[in-house]
């Protein structure tokens, strides 16, 4: 014991000396000694406990000072277990916990309560309060919000120390308030956190996630209990009211997120809380709204008037208050008006002043907008709108109320059936009148739904009655109105029932009942003035219907007086004005008064269809189309024109038809189509609507639909119900217009002519004229120049007929100019032109002023007209027709003074005609031509400038100016093209023209970009591809250029001469560069056709005429070649005589050489020899270019040699061939020709020379097919076995040559077979031939020659079948087998059908015909 005491004393001294390590050792020593003493000695437990507690306290304190917090806490806990009543232990623990901030705040809570309990037992309130205050303050400073809330719970009445410290600590109300603030913040943070986490899940929706999280938090929330505690404990009434509000808000929010099956208890709680607040008249809007909005009453009058007025008093600026105030002060309020006392200052400050109806309505509208979520405000506004007859606004507000009612129902979990029925009645009543009868089916459905539950509902019965009355089912309407009258004596319903009775046919009874109703209406009651006016009008209509005689209706004492009284009763009653308008129009003949009445009626009500129709017809007659559109559109918007779905009532079509006509005039074609379609839905047999629909389709480019519409209109012609007024020709005319737009020019022309046979219409004649011209242009594009000339001729005849009646017509002379231009394109087809009619046409109303336009520039004036007829034989020349076209276009300019657009177009057309004269080099053909004058080019520039001055926004005008200024001023040209593209950047022609300008200026990069843009804008525009081809040619890309030229030619029309020229030239270059292409005749068909069109279009370039003859020669059309070359030689001879140009001489020599070759092909050998000699004489001049000279001389020698050979002039032929050999330095082909001629001469000496020439040729040109086969043939004839042996090896090697065609290999096979016959004896002859044929098959099994030879040697049909199969596969384009070889293969099968195929393949071959004869004979 003494040791323990000394150790404890030492530990205390060490602590005092701040020697904490020694203190720890001494304390541990005491603890170990105490433990030993406890087990070894009989020492009392209290003494040991005391020593242990003190030692652990010292140890804990020392460890605390050494920052060994965990060990220190263990020591203190041991001490606390040893002696819990020792305050030092708990003070140590509290000091230790405070040192660790919030880490041990939970343990601090228990320690503080233990220490406070010790002081409470010791009755030391000061120390007890100090501990609690210190703990709460520490939790506030260092702990989290949750820890602080936990600390505050110590101060609540539920705490053990509350009763002891009551009055010394915070009041419970204040504490609960702090706890409430903390819990609110915690729940808000948790809500945001959970929503943020869950909204990122797949398929999560924000609204759904928010609702789920709120529902989960509401079920766990303690706020409502805390709010109740605050309400119970607080002494401040204001604070109590505040937390009552919060409690209601929280309960209300919780109710909103609860599922429907859990809402009932919470809803009862919310209603109880709200009612309590209202009873206390506390100004909390939510509570008042719940009490007002959740009252499910049939009528607003069933609500508590006191609550309504208190709400207005408490919340004067609230939107619902403004609505309620207006309603309570209005005429429709079921509550008594409050008497103004005038002595209450507060009332005078808060009450809203009484106002007029307009001011009240504005106030209520403003309030309704401020409380969008209030179902009560919408219900009140709906009823007030119905009272004011603002049915559209009532329907809108009722629909919003329906939507809001769904929200409230879902929130509260109550059906609110009475409120729903009231809203449906407001909506149904509004829909009965609003845009009637459009919404009648919906209104009737609403009323019937209500009557299923409430069969005697007066509003529903009246609504159905009105609907049936509008649908002209008057008897049923009477039944419903009668059922309503059983429960009400409303005079309005009685008057409506009486009117239905009169409409049923019981006019007398109806009239008497209406008069009885009128007598019960007060004259000065403002609420019944409209009803009085309506009743007076209906009485007048009964009288009007009773006696329909003119005198009775005209009488001012009859119906007229009632109509006038109706207007006097209510100046805004529209039907009375309508019937008065009819009275003035039909019976008094006062059009002005009638029009004023109709205007007044329509101004008051768009439902006055009769007044609107008469107004529309009046405005249309006077050309006031804007007013027609305004009236028709207002009628359409009223909803009266279309009957309700399922209604038997017929709709009105005229408003839509009127709108369609106006939209056609305004070029709004898409809208007009919709309008006419709407008109036809109401009146499917309306002729004029079908015609209007067709016009709309036609003008919008929907030609197929337009055709169907016009055809339908044609079917209605003559139908009395269709409204046709006898203009049957008009649909025919419109159908012709549609066919014209579709390109069916022939059918359009026939329709126009059919119309003109029945009646003469200038417009139809002009349409026929324009169609003829357009058809002619189309034929030029297709290459039908004869048809084009015929169409242009007919157009001139039609124009001459029009001119006999009227000459000053722009379209007339424009068409004449186009027709003349067409004749300048068709070449020799211009002979079909009706010159006499053209002359008569120009002689009509001649005036020198017509042709003075630009006469000072182009020198074409009135005298040019006379010069045209001096030599009519020149009418086939293009210059004749170009001048005529210029004169006609000048006449068109003179006729277009009254129309700005037509004048601009006239200058534009004249400009292109002048440019056509420039391009055709018309000025160079004139006698007084001066080089560089370019008068036509200058004239066309002036034309396009004037067109632009008149219409600067036309892209085509700028494009034309750019084209004509390309060579004069490239800067202006570029500016013009850019301006045109600014106006219309999607014009491929302009992009192409711009690219061409850059190409001319050698700017290849810009040219490529512009042409590429043109291609992308319109891939079918040929000239864009032509430009790319020329660009590729300039860059040396020959193959690419040839491909582009071919594509451009394929997609171009026949009027594009440039496309044909470039294509022909590219094919010619291909043929010259590629021998394989030269052998394929398919390469010459399209170029030949293109060349024929170029030459027929009057091309002055002789090179293309020469090319035509060369291509014709290539395909074997030698007669055409002779004809073209003769004409070419004549022209070249004339040109040479006038110019003596060396280049012309070269062309003439080439043409003569080609002509000689053509004569040789047709068998005119003398002419061939003569022309060849001429070509040789012309090319004898060594000043000619060597290449051209050599070609001409070689051709001349060969042609002359062959001609002499066929004339049996062997010596001359041999001489020519020898000269050819000298020219070519021993060409093997010429050697073969010479050998043939020498052998044919027949003398031994010449035959020996032929052999020597062939041996020498084979030695110099090994493998030459012609030399080898000819030598083999000669050896066969001579039976020269030595030569045959030498030739046989070469022939065998020829069989494997890939560069030989099927026909050449067939000749080799035949020659080898013949050699085998010579080499073999008679017994072996057939075997040898079979062996050679089999060898040919083995060498080339895919070629037909071996199989055909094998077929000749055997009776088996298989070789012949295989030969035919191989021959079919060797024809072009796969192979090069000719038609005669295929014909021969067909004849080998022995079948009659193949014999016919042989004739079809080569009808000129004798083989097919002979084979057919043999087969028929055998049959």
């Amino acid at each position: 014991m003494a040791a323990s005491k000394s150790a404890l004393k030492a530990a205390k001294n060490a602590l005092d000396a701040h020697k904490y390590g020694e203190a720890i050792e001494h304390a541990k020593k005491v603890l170990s000694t105490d433990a030993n003493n406890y087990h070894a000695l009989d020492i009392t437990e209290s003494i040991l406990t005391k020593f242990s507690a003190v030692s652990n306290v010292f140890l804990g304190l020392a460890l605390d000072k050494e920052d060994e917090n965990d060990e220190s806490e263990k020591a203190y806990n041991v001490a606390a277990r040893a002696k819990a009543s020792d305050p030092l232990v708990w003070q140590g623990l509290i000091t230790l916990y405070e040192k660790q901030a919030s880490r041990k705040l939970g343990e601090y809570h228990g320690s503080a309560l233990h220490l406070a309990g010790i002081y409470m037992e010791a009755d030391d309130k000061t120390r007890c309060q100090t501990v609690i205050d210190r703990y709460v303050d520490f939790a506030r400073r260092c702990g989290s919000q949750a820890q602080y809330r936990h600390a505050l719970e110590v101060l609540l009445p539920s705490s053990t120390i509350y009763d002891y410290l009551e009055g010394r600590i915070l009041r419970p109300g204040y504490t609960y308030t702090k706890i409430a603030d903390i819990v609110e913040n915690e729940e808000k943070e948790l809500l945001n956190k959970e929503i943020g986490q869950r909204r990122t899940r797949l398929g999560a929706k924000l609204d759904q996630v928010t609702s789920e999280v709120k529902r989960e938090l509401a079920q766990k929330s303690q706020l409502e209990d805390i709010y109740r505690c605050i309400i119970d404990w607080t002494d401040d009434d204001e604070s109590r009211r505040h937390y009552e509000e919060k409690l209601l808000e929280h309960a209300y929010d919780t109710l909103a997120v609860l599922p429907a099956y859990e809402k009932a208890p919470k809803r009862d709680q919310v209603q109880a809380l709200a009612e309590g607040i209202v009873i206390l008249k506390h100004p909390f809007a939510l509570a008042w709204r719940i009490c007002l909005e959740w009252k499910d009453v049939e009528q607003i009058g069933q609500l508590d008037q006191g609550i309504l007025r208190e709400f207005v008093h408490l919340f004067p600026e609230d939107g619902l208050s403004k609505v309620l105030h207006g309603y309570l002060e209005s005429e429709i309020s079921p509550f008594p008006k409050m008497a103004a006392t005038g002595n209450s200052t507060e009332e005078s400050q808060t009450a809203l002043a009484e106002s007029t109806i307009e001011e009240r309505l504005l106030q209520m509208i403003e309030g309704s907008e401020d409380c969008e979520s209030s179902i009560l405000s919408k219900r009140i506004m709906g009823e007030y709108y119905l009272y004011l007859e603002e049915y559209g606004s009532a329907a809108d507000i009722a629909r919003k109320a329906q939507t809001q009612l769904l929200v409230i129902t879902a929130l509260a979990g109550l059906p609110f059936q009475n409120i729903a029925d009231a809203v449906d009645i407001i909506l149904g009543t509004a829909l009965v009148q609003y845009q009637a009868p459009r919404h009648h089916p919906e209104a009737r459905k609403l009323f019937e739904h209500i009557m299923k539950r409430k069969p005697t509902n007066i509003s529903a019965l009246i609504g159905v009655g009105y609907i049936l009355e509008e649908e002209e089912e008057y008897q049923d309407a009477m039944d419903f109105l009668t059922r309503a009258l059983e429960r009400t004596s409303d005079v309005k319903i009685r008057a409506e029932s009486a009117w239905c009775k009169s409409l049923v046919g019981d006019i007398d009874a109806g009239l008497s009942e209406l008069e009885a109703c009128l007598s019960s209406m007060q004259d000065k009651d403002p609420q019944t003035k409209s009803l009085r006016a309506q009743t007076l009008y209906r009485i007048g209509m009964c009288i009007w219907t009773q006696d329909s005689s003119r005198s009775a209706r005209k009488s001012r004492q009859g119906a007229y007086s009632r109509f006038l009284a109706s207007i006097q009763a209510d100046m805004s009653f529209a039907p009375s004005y309508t019937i008065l308008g009819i009275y003035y129009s039909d019976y008094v003949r006062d059009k002005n008064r009638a029009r004023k009445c109709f205007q007044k009626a329509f101004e008051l009500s768009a439902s006055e269809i009769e007044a609107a129709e008469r107004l529309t017809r009046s405005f249309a007659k006077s050309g006031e189309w804007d007013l027609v559109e305004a009236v028709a559109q207002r009628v359409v918007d009223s909803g009266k024109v279309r009957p309700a779905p399922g209604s038997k009532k017929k709709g009105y079509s005229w408003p839509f038809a009127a709108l369609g006509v106006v939209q056609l005039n305004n070029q709004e074609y898409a809208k007009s189509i919709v309008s006419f379609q709407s008109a036809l839905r109401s009146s499917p047999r309306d002729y004029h609507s079908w015609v209007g629909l067709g016009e709309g389709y036609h003008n919008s480019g929907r030609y197929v639909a337009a055709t169907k519409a016009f055809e339908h209109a044609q079917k209605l012609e003559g139908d009395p119900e269709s409204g046709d007024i006898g203009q049957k020709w008009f649909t025919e005319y419109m159908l012709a217009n549609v066919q014209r737009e579709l390109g069916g020019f022939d059918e359009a022309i026939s329709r126009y002519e059919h119309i003109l046979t029945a009646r003469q219409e200038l417009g139809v004649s002009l349409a026929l004229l324009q169609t003829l011209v357009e058809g002619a242009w189309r034929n030029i594009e297709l290459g039908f120049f004869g048809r084009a000339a015929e169409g242009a001729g007919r157009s001139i005849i039609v124009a001459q007929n029009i001119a006999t009646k009227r000459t000053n017509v722009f379209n007339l002379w424009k068409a004449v100019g186009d027709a003349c231009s067409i004749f300048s394109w068709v070449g020799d087809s211009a002979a079909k032109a009706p010159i006499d009619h053209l002359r008569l046409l120009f002689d009509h109303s001649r005036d020198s002023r017509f042709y003075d336009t630009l006469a000072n520039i182009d020198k074409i004036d009135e005298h040019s007209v006379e010069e045209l007829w001096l030599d009519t034989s020149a009418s086939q020349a293009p210059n004749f027709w170009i001048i005529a076209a210029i004169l006609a276009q000048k006449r068109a300019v003179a006729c277009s003074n009254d129309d700005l657009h037509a004048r601009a177009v006239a200058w534009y057309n004249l400009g292109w005609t002048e440019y056509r004269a420039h391009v055709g080099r018309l000025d160079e053909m004139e006698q007084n031509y001066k080089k560089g004058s370019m008068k036509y080019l200058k004239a066309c520039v002036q034309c396009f400038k004037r067109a632009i001055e008149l219409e600067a926004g036309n892209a085509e005008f700028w494009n034309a100016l750019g084209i004509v200024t390309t060579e004069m001023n490239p800067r202006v040209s570029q500016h013009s093209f850019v301006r045109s593209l600014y106006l219309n950047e999607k014009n491929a022609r302009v992009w192409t023209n711009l690219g061409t300008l850059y190409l001319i200026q050698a700017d290849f990069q810009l040219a490529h970009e512009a042409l590429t843009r043109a291609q992308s804008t319109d891939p079918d525009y040929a000239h864009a591809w032509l430009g790319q081809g020329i660009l590729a040619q300039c860059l040396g890309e020959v193959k690419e250029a040839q491909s582009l030229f071919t594509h451009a030619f394929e997609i171009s029309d026949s009027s594009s001469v440039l496309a044909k020229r470039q294509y022909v030239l590219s094919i010619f270059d291909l043929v010259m560069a590629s021998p394989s292409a030269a052998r394929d005749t398919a390469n010459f068909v399209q170029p030949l056709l293109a060349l024929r069109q170029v030459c027929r279009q009057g091309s002055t370039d002789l090179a293309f005429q020469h090319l035509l003859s060369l291509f014709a020669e290539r395909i074997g059309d030698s007669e055409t070649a002779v004809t073209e070359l003769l004409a070419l030689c004549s022209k070249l001879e004339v040109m040479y005589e006038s110019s003596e140009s060396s280049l012309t001489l070269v062309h003439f020599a080439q043409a003569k050489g080609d002509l000689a070759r053509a004569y040789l092909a047709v068998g005119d050998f003398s002419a061939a020899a003569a022309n060849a000699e001429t070509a040789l004489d012309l090319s004898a001049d060594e000043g000619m270019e060597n290449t051209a000279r050599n070609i001409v001389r070689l051709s001349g020698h060969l042609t002359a040699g062959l001609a002499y050979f066929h004339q049996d002039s062997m010596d001359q032929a041999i001489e020519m061939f020898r000269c050819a050999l000298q020219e070519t330095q021993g060409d093997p082909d010429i050697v073969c020709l010479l050998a043939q001629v020498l052998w044919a001469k027949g003398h031994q000496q010449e035959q020996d020379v032929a052999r020597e020439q062939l041996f020498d040729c084979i030695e110099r040109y090994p493998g030459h097919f012609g030399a080898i086969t000819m030598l083999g043939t000669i050896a066969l004839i001579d039976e020269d076995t030595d030569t045959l042996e030498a030739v046989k090896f070469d022939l065998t090697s020829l069989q494997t040559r890939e560069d030989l065609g099927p026909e050449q290999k067939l000749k080799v096979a035949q020659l080898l077979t013949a050699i085998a016959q010579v080499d073999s004896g008679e017994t072996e002859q057939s075997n040898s031939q079979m062996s050679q044929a089999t060898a040919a098959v083995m060498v080339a099994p895919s070629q037909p020659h071996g199989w055909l030879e094998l077929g000749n040697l055997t009776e088996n049909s298989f070789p012949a079948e295989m030969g035919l199969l191989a021959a079919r596969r060797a024809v072009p384009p796969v192979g090069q087998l000719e038609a005669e070889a295929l014909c021969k293969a067909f004849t080998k099968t022995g079948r009659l059908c193949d014999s016919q195929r042989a004739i079809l393949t080569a009808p000129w071959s004798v083989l097919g015909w002979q084979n057919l004869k043999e087969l028929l004979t055998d049959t």
Side-chain angles (χ1 to χ4, degrees), residues 636 641-643 649-654 656-657 671-686 689-690 693 697:
V636 170
V641 292
R642 286 197 182 100
K649 190 175 179 181
K650 188 178 180 182
Y652 299 94
S653 64
W654 69 264
F656 296 106
K671 292 182 179 179
S672 71
I673 291 171
V674 175
S675 297
F676 284 121
Q677 286 175 340
S678 300
L680 289 169
R681 289 190 190 100
S682 299
S683 301
R685 300 187 63 78
D686 185 4
S689 294
W690 281 108
L693 180 62
Y697 281 135

Side-chain angles (χ1 to χ4, degrees), residues 17-31:
H18 302 293
K19 297 178 180 179
Y20 304 117
E22 294 180 6
I24 293 171
E25 292 178 1
H26 289 304
K28 287 182 178 179
K29 182 177 179 182
V30 172
L31 290 173

